Amino acid sequence: MPRYFTEDHEWIDVDGDAATIGITDYAQEQLGDIVFVEVPAAGDSLAKGKEAAVVESVKAASDVYSPVSGIVTEGNAALEDDPALVNTAPETDGWFYKLTVSDAAELEGLMDEAAYKDFVASL
């Protein structure tokens, strides 16, 4: 299953037209202790680059942008009860939402893991 990354520090796992989205370990480290996460609901329509979720930490509140367009199939309900899951498992159990990708061509502009590591190293 390929994983892609954005310059806004979101990751996206893609399996056919199904995708899972979250924020990277780098992003959660920059935010610090996460105290609240608002994820989109099933059925929401998201556009690439537009606001999809909100994450609040002890330092700041930040928007999470959708790396691709699509229809949300599931928000991660576990984050309502345990938003710190983003700190402890940002790239596994701390995913934000799943969606059905509406335009696979939008994946072409995203980074692979090696490119993302180089990008983070340059910050």
Side-chain angles (χ1 to χ4, degrees):
M1 176 181 324
R3 176 171 276 195
Y4 302 93
F5 297 87
T6 71
E7 290 185 357
D8 292 321
H9 308 288
E10 291 98 9
W11 57 263
I12 175 171
D13 282 341
V14 180
D15 185 10
D17 66 351
T20 304
I21 291 101
I23 64 171
T24 65
D25 188 52
Y26 176 84
Q28 70 82 22
E29 282 183 12
Q30 296 301 307
L31 288 166
D33 292 336
I34 293 176
V35 296
F36 176 78
V37 178
E38 181 181 320
V39 297
D44 285 356
S45 179
L46 301 177
K48 179 179 179 171
K50 300 297 181 184
E51 182 182 314
V54 176
V55 59
E56 291 183 22
S57 70
V58 294
K59 292 181 179 177
S62 298
D63 292 327
V64 175
Y65 302 101
S66 188
V68 294
S69 301
I71 304 297
V72 176
T73 57
E74 181 182 359
N76 188 351
L79 296 181
E80 290 180 27
D81 295 333
D82 186 13
L85 193 57
V86 178
N87 290 119
T88 58
E91 299 188 20
T92 55
D93 294 338
W95 57 274
F96 279 43
Y97 60 95
K98 298 181 179 187
L99 62 69
T100 301
V101 177
S102 61
D103 183 1
E106 292 179 345
L107 296 167
E108 293 175 12
L110 303 176
M111 293 178 274
D112 64 14
E113 187 168 356
Y116 180 72
K117 283 184 178 178
D118 289 345
F119 172 73
V120 169
S122 72
L123 299 177

